[in-house]
Structures are given as C-alpha cells and as structure tokens.
Amino acid sequence: MNLKSHLIFTLYTIYGILLKGISGQYPLVQNVTVTEGGTANLTCRVEYNDNTSLQWSNPAQQTLFFGDKKALRDNRIELVRASWSELTISISDVTLSDEGMYTCSLFTMPVRTAKAYLTVLGVPEKPEIDGLTKPALEGDHVTLTCITQGSKPAADLRWFRNEKEVKGAKEVNASGKTFTVRSSLQLLVDRNDDGVAYTCRVDHVALTQTPQQATEVLEVHYAPRVEIIHSLGVPQEGQYLKLECVSKGNPSPDPVMWTKDGSDLPDLERMIVEGRELTFTSLNKTDNGTYRCEASNHLGTSSAEYVLYVYDAPTTLPPSTTPSLHPIPPDPTALLGTHVSDRTVSGNRDPNALGQHSTDHALIGGVVAVVVFVTLCLIIVLGRYLARHKGTYLTNEAKGADDAPDADTAIINAEGNHAHAEEKKEYFI
C-alpha cells in the first residue's frame, strides 16, 4: 500500500514538472505606441526555453531578426538584446507605414507565436489661420479658418479670444492614414475687437509638451466717438478751467477742433488750445457759451458740446466784533464752488441754481405772514358778531308780573292775559 502511494506521488510530480515546462515555453510580448519619427523597441521574452531560437517578423511576414542574425536589410532596424530568453530589436525613424502587427515566434514543436501591435501617431502640423483681412471695418462679418494636417488620430482644434475660449465649427477629412482638421469662427467685428488676439490651438496625444498654435491680432478701423471732460463742477470768475476732448477712433482722429457758439474761439490769449485740451487761465462772464469739440477720420465725424456758465466769485464778510444771536448760514455759492461734479460729456446747468435757495426762503416767509394775518382778522370779526347777538327777553305775562304791587295782583294780571295768549309777542333787549 505504501509502495503504491509513493508511486502515485512520483507520477504526479513528474507530470507537474513537464506541464510547467511546456506552459513556460510561450513567447510574451506587449503592444507599442510611438510618435512618427521616434524609435520603437519590440521585446519578446520566454520564461523557460530549452535553447530554442526566437524570431521577429514585420506585418508583411518578413523576418527581421532570427536570434541575433539580421535577416532584413533595413538600416533603421537594429538588435538590442539577444539571448535564449529574450529577443529585443529597435526601429528608428518610425513612419506611418511601419504601423501594424509584428510577430514573435518560438521555434518549438509546434511553433508558438505572440503578436504585438505597433501604433504610430501622426504629429499634426503647425496650424494656419486664414480669412483675416487687415484692417477690418467695424460691422464687417469675418470668418477665421484654422487648418492643421497630418494628424493621426484626428487632432482637436480650440479657439481663444485673448485668454477666453470660444467655440468654433470643426470639420475632419481623412487623407490616407492621416487627417486634415478645419475649424471656423464667425465674427461680427466691432471696435472692441481692435487689438484682440485670436489663437487657434491644436490638442493631440502626440504633442506631449507644448501644443501647436497660431495667433492673429485683429486690427479694426472705426469712426471716432467724442466726449468732453471738465475740471470744475461749478466754474466761478477768476478760476482756472480745463476742458479735455477725449476722442476714440481708428485711425486716431488728430487733431481735434474747438469752437464757441459755432464760431472760432474769440480770446486766444486766455483760451489756450494744446492738443486735445482747451484751457481758461482766468474765467470771466464773457466766457459764457456753448463750446464744441469735433474729431473726424476717413470713416466719420463725431462731436460733443459743453455749456459753460461762469458764476460770481464768492464774497467773504469781515468778522463781527459782537456775537450774533442768529448764526449766519454759509454762502451756498461758496459751498457749491468746492463741489466736484461727475465728469460728463456736456455741462448743461441752470444758471439760476445758486440763487434758488434765498428766493424760496423769502417766498415761504411771505406766505406764512399772510396766513397769520388772515387768521387774526377772522378771529376779530367772529368775536364782534357774537357780542352783538347776546342778551335776555321777557314775555307779556312776565312783564305784567313785574308791574303788579303784590303777588295776588300779579297772578290776576297773568290769568287775564291768558285770553290773549295767541297775541303773545317777544321783545328783545
């Protein structure tokens, strides 16, 4: 019994060793991906090899290497390592035609093989942007087209307006083993596009470091727009005032033209024009009027107006030696002279704005006085009327009682008068 058990154990051990040796004699390979122009390394390994030769062949079933012996005359193919357990070769300057299934063969009985697929990535060319006209005019419809060729698989194109991504329309066309990709961007050009950089960027798996991209900067011509900026909110006599004509246009609308009330400036000694600025060295009442700034280029003309009204200079009263019972309110003209208003295009103001507060106070005081006077008159008239209609009255019966010498006579007189009750009359004193 023991002999039989020992024999069975020995047979199982021999079977396991043989099975392990047979299963270990299969070649092991891996798929390889390489960029066009790069170098691909193909490795074939065997765990257990009984001095059997290894061989690499290309997709056309041409033998590249048999062991350490080179079989195909191709200077790009070289031997890296050759042993009983490994055969590694390299292919330099890989092209798209090198892509395909490569076979490693182990020459046992029967021959065992393993296949590795070589993927070659087509590198996209640097993109080009077409359709840009320089300069473009405001209001034009412009179509920018970005094109890149030679990508495999198809590349992805992305548009950027300065640093912000914008969406374009993509189109892919196959050209042999590679692809041509186009992306279009529709624009309605305005003045805000002047100087804006539009960038087309190529994203692809073969571009591992810096993506390919192309950039075009738009130049947009547009008619000018004008506004006038003034340095004072409430101009007063004797003050310094500067008006600046800010004009934006492309081409630049230089120089600008200043006029007053539709005519040339009258006093060039005090009104100094330097570039876009009109300066008043010392304001006076004769400077009142409408000032116009005009700028133009070959696309159009624009203008802005500023209405100047010069107010009286604030007066300062001498200090009083006696204290005042009622404090004097500050001069509204002086307060307004220190206020800086918003910088607007034109200065359209009410010239009577400064005297408005004193006029309102006088009007309110007059109305209050009239109301008090009318109220007092009504009270006096009503009192006199009530006083004239106040008193007592006696009937005829009561009057007879007053004339009687005693009470009995008064009663008799009163009873005697009952017969003429319907003739009672009232007398007012």
Side-chain angles (χ1 to χ4, degrees):
M1 188 67 177
N2 292 334
L3 180 61
K4 185 177 179 179
S5 299
H6 181 70
L7 182 60
I8 293 173
F9 176 76
T10 302
L11 291 175
Y12 271 109
T13 301
I14 295 172
Y15 177 76
I17 293 174
L18 293 175
L19 183 60
K20 182 177 181 181
I22 294 173
S23 62
Q25 284 189 316
Y26 278 95
L28 302 175
V29 296
Q30 288 184 338
N31 295 331
V32 177
T33 299
V34 64
T35 302
E36 185 179 11
T39 300
N41 289 327
L42 300 176
T43 300
C44 180
R45 291 188 177 91
V46 180
E47 291 186 6
Y48 302 98
N49 191 356
D50 53 355
N51 297 332
T52 303
S53 298
L54 293 170
Q55 172 187 292
W56 271 111
S57 56
N58 63 14
Q61 296 303 315
Q62 295 173 323
T63 300
L64 303 179
F65 270 88
F66 183 80
D68 57 354
K69 301 297 189 296
K70 187 174 183 178
L72 186 66
R73 292 183 179 181
D74 189 339
N75 295 330
R76 301 179 302 124
I77 303 174
E78 296 180 355
L79 178 65
V80 178
R81 183 180 295 106
S83 67
W84 296 112
S85 61
E86 179 181 340
L87 177 60
T88 300
I89 63 173
S90 67
I91 306 174
S92 60
D93 293 331
V94 174
T95 64
L96 294 175
S97 61
D98 292 325
E99 185 175 80
M101 192 74 72
Y102 287 76
T103 303
C104 176
S105 301
L106 178 63
F107 285 91
T108 58
M109 294 300 294
V111 177
R112 294 182 173 88
T113 60
K115 297 183 180 296
Y117 194 87
L118 175 61
T119 301
V120 181
L121 301 177
V123 181
E125 298 177 1
K126 185 175 180 178
E128 296 180 356
I129 297 178
D130 295 330
L132 182 62
T133 57
K134 290 187 177 181
L137 300 181
E138 185 176 25
D140 286 351
H141 291 271
V142 175
T143 300
L144 301 181
T145 303
C146 180
I147 304 174
T148 181
Q149 299 176 343
S151 61
K152 178 181 173 298
D156 187 24
L157 295 180
R158 300 167 63 191
W159 284 100
F160 293 86
R161 185 182 189 273
N162 289 337
E163 298 298 326
K164 183 178 180 180
E165 185 171 0
V166 292
K167 188 175 181 59
K170 181 180 176 181
E171 178 184 349
V172 179
N173 295 311
S175 178
K177 291 186 176 182
T178 62
F179 296 90
T180 299
V181 184
R182 289 181 174 83
S183 181
S184 300
L185 188 64
Q186 302 285 340
L187 301 176
L188 177 58
V189 178
D190 62 19
R191 63 186 59 212
N192 295 325
D193 288 316
D194 186 36
V196 172
Y198 282 89
T199 300
C200 176
R201 180 181 300 173
V202 181
D203 287 344
H204 194 265
V205 65
L207 303 174
T208 56
Q209 296 180 354
T210 304
Q212 300 272 24
Q213 64 182 32
T215 301
E216 290 287 350
V217 178
L218 265 64
E219 180 184 358
V220 182
H221 283 189
Y222 51 92
R225 288 180 183 174
V226 176
E227 65 174 350
I228 296 177
I229 298 176
H230 49 89
S231 60
L232 293 177
V234 181
Q236 300 172 359
E237 282 190 297
Q239 287 185 328
Y240 173 91
L241 173 64
K242 180 174 71 175
L243 302 180
E244 182 180 359
C245 182
V246 179
S247 59
K248 296 180 180 179
N250 192 14
S252 179
D254 288 325
V256 298
M257 179 182 297
W258 285 98
T259 58
K260 177 187 177 182
D261 297 329
S263 303
D264 295 337
L265 299 178
D267 189 353
L268 295 180
E269 293 182 358
R270 291 185 309 102
M271 302 179 185
I272 303 173
V273 178
E274 294 181 349
R276 301 172 182 270
E277 296 179 355
L278 172 60
T279 303
F280 298 82
T281 56
S282 180
L283 291 172
N284 59 45
K285 293 290 186 178
T286 62
D287 295 328
N288 292 344
T290 300
Y291 292 82
R292 180 185 181 93
C293 168
E294 185 175 288
S296 61
N297 59 20
H298 70 280
L299 295 176
T301 301
S302 178
S303 63
E305 292 183 348
Y306 173 77
V307 178
L308 174 61
Y309 184 85
V310 180
Y311 293 93
D312 295 331
T315 57
T316 304
L317 298 177
S320 176
T321 56
T322 59
S324 175
L325 297 178
H326 302 284
I328 300 175
D331 184 4
T333 303
L335 293 178
L336 287 175
T338 61
H339 175 70
V340 179
S341 65
D342 294 338
R343 298 160 74 91
T344 58
V345 174
S346 62
N348 295 327
R349 296 185 212 88
D350 183 6
N352 299 321
L354 294 178
Q356 202 71 22
H357 297 288
S358 59
T359 303
D360 292 344
H361 293 165
L363 180 62
I364 293 173
V367 172
V368 172
V370 171
V371 171
V372 172
F373 176 76
V374 171
T375 303
L376 292 176
C377 292
L378 290 176
I379 292 174
I380 293 173
V381 171
L382 182 61
R384 292 177 59 86
Y385 175 80
L386 293 177
R388 291 172 59 90
H389 292 75
K390 182 178 180 182
T392 58
Y393 63 93
L394 296 176
T395 61
N396 288 333
E397 294 88 343
K399 185 176 180 181
D402 289 338
D403 296 335
D406 52 28
D408 293 335
T409 306
I411 292 173
I412 294 171
N413 292 337
E415 291 177 352
N417 289 332
H418 281 298
H420 305 282
E422 67 277 1
E423 297 178 359
K424 293 179 182 179
K425 294 183 180 178
E426 296 180 354
Y427 298 90
F428 289 92
I429 296 173

